[in-house]
Amino acid sequence: MTTSTRAIGAHGPGRPLEPLEITRRELRNDDIQIAIQFAGVCHSDIHTMNGDWGERQWPLAPGHEIVGIVSAVGSSVTAFTVGDRVGVGCFVNSCGECDPCSQGEISYCERGAVGTYGDVDRFSDGEYTQGGYSRSIVVRESFVLRIPDGLDPAGAAPLLCAGITTYSPLRHWNVGPGSRVAVVGMGGLGHVGVKIALAMGAEVTVFSHSDRKRDDALAYGAKDLIATRDGLPRELRKHFDFILNTVSADIDINAYLGLLRFDGTLVQLGLPGEPMKIRAGSVVNRRGSLAGSLVGGIRETQEMLDFCGEHGITADIELISADRINEAYERTVAADVRYRFVIDASTI
Ligand code: NAP
Ligand code: ZN
């Protein structure tokens, strides 16, 4: 028997978000039921709800930056008990058998990891997933994360996507002391990426489309913030070992590839709907690499949470009630949020 729970979502692409009733499956042996406390608002939610990434089933409640308290566990669950503070990120299932899955890299599951919302759970009941802008959720134990005690739970919610999505490539490309890192776009992903790269010991420069976020970037410990409206400074050509592009819109990536040193790497994280145009010379000239990275695995997400626990890293957030969600979407698109909206789920 399914249970019904309150949520906020939309009845079609581009439609405003409004209160919904959604259903959650009956607890299976390896399932955990979570009473959601906080849900972050990721730009991916906005892309999905706008229809930028293709067809979805409607109505749909988004949300994949979820923090809450375990409210029930299935009969075979051993790792969690009622009352634990836990998180759920971008994925709730994967095949568990392909190469990436066997390495713990479930986001690259060859049969397609199951998104926390707007996806068919093709590895279990074939149900359509509904996300974290909701009062409760049921998730397989192996996709549930533990939130370190010292972290503010509302500020920790965005780590479940923004945190792991930036941590994973920084780790994979061995960023650390001596690395010169550029973070392009200081929004939800970007500002967490800046904090994590600094905690790993890198020198970090922020590229932002205006000067408005300069004081915050410097307060985090960044070396500088470059306002990009007037173009990129010539003196930073061939300067960076590693660039994270977190911009949600289509920007001239060639200009940023020009900032890479010999053998440097630019990792694309932003997912605008339009195709990117790359000039061959932008990568050929410096043996540069243009790479991409998708979220991160469950084990690595736990590692990231523990790292953030040790370094006291959370997102800077604006906590909102559910009725402000449409305003929050508009302000996120306008890059007018410091730096992540988080929904107080008790208001849903
Ligand atoms: P966000 O909070 O809206 O931040 C995006 C930032 O990009 C803005 O704060 C702004 O930074 C900059 N920006 C936005 N529009 C711009 C424009 N027209 N020109 C130049 N700069 C612009 O978004 P987010 O939640 O961090 O997500 C960023 C992107 O990553 C989205 O496309 C999202 O779907 C994607 N994403 C990817 C993954 C993955 O696994 N690869 C995971 C999560 C999200 P400034 O004000 O500093 O310029
Ligand atoms: Zn996200």
Side-chain angles (χ1 to χ4, degrees):
M1 209 186 61
T2 58
T3 54
S4 133
T5 182
R6 270 178 280 169
I8 43 179
H11 286 276
R15 303 262 296 271
L17 276 69
E18 55 186 274
L20 293 178
E21 283 284 323
I22 57 172
T23 55
R24 299 297 189 190
R25 66 173 178 251
E26 191 177 356
L27 222 59
R28 295 191 293 241
N29 292 350
D30 62 344
D31 274 343
I32 291 183
Q33 183 190 59
I34 300 163
I36 298 175
Q37 296 176 301
F38 301 105
V41 175
C42 177
H43 208 115
S44 299
D45 305 344
I46 301 176
H47 287 305
T48 305
M49 300 308 272
N50 280 343
D52 294 351
W53 295 346
E55 295 291 315
R56 290 291 185 280
Q57 276 178 38
W58 306 93
L60 176 60
H64 59 204
E65 294 183 338
I66 302 167
V67 165
I69 302 286
V70 174
S71 50
V73 296
S75 58
S76 69
V77 170
T78 52
F80 298 93
T81 51
V82 171
D84 287 351
R85 173 158 283 135
V86 293
V88 177
C90 300
F91 299 105
V92 290
N93 217 347
S94 74
C95 85
E97 289 163 1
C98 68
D99 255 12
C101 278
S102 352
Q103 293 171 47
E105 300 283 7
I106 55 103
S107 46
Y108 306 102
C109 173
E110 284 169 2
R111 298 187 188 97
V114 178
T116 302
Y117 62 85
D119 206 356
V120 174
D121 192 345
R122 59 194 81 80
F123 307 112
S124 61
D125 48 14
E127 285 295 308
Y128 201 67
T129 57
Q130 296 284 357
Y133 299 5
S134 157
R135 294 296 290 263
S136 80
I137 190 167
V138 172
V139 179
R140 281 182 73 184
E141 165 178 40
S142 50
F143 286 79
V144 176
L145 287 309
R146 202 170 278 288
I147 306 297
D149 282 338
L151 293 182
D152 167 56
L159 299 178
L160 276 307
C161 172
I164 183 59
T165 301
T166 51
Y167 180 92
S168 182
L170 288 165
R171 269 280 178 262
H172 184 75
W173 276 275
N174 297 315
V175 165
S179 310
R180 287 181 184 167
V181 172
V183 175
V184 186
M186 199 166 90
L189 263 59
H191 91 290
V192 174
V194 168
K195 293 184 184 192
I196 292 176
L198 286 165
M200 289 174 173
E203 176 188 289
V204 178
T205 303
V206 176
F207 290 78
S208 189
H209 68 282
S210 76
D211 249 334
R212 283 180 302 158
K213 298 173 178 173
R214 171 184 298 278
D215 290 349
D216 291 338
L218 298 183
Y220 296 149
K223 182 161 182 267
D224 201 0
L225 177 143
I226 310 290
T228 58
R229 276 221 169 104
D230 311 319
L232 305 182
R234 281 202 70 79
E235 60 272 21
L236 291 181
R237 287 182 64 77
K238 305 199 175 173
H239 182 81
F240 294 100
D241 302 295
F242 187 77
I243 302 178
L244 269 187
N245 178 21
T246 75
V247 174
S248 47
D250 183 28
I251 56 170
D252 179 14
I253 205 73
N254 296 289
Y256 288 96
L257 288 166
L259 305 184
L260 285 178
R261 286 164 100 168
F262 164 63
D263 263 349
T265 301
L266 185 152
V267 173
Q268 177 67 24
L269 295 178
L271 287 160
E274 308 80 27
M276 290 164 70
K277 285 203 189 70
I278 310 294
R279 237 186 350 260
S282 309
V283 281
V284 167
N285 291 344
R286 49 190 44 74
R287 197 160 76 186
S289 300
L290 170 61
S293 186
L294 179 67
V295 194
I298 300 298
R299 192 172 53 226
E300 194 176 37
T301 303
Q302 191 61 61
E303 179 189 304
M304 174 277 305
L305 287 167
D306 297 341
F307 178 90
C308 289
E310 273 161 40
H311 292 270
I313 296 172
T314 51
D316 292 3
I317 64 159
E318 284 190 45
L319 191 64
I320 55 164
S321 52
D323 57 357
R324 291 182 56 206
I325 188 65
N326 293 302
E327 173 201 334
Y329 272 30
E330 277 169 30
R331 284 185 48 205
T332 302
V333 171
D336 175 28
V337 47
R338 305 284 171 99
Y339 279 89
R340 194 59 129 193
F341 286 109
V342 171
I343 303 163
D344 175 351
S346 70
T347 63
I348 296 177

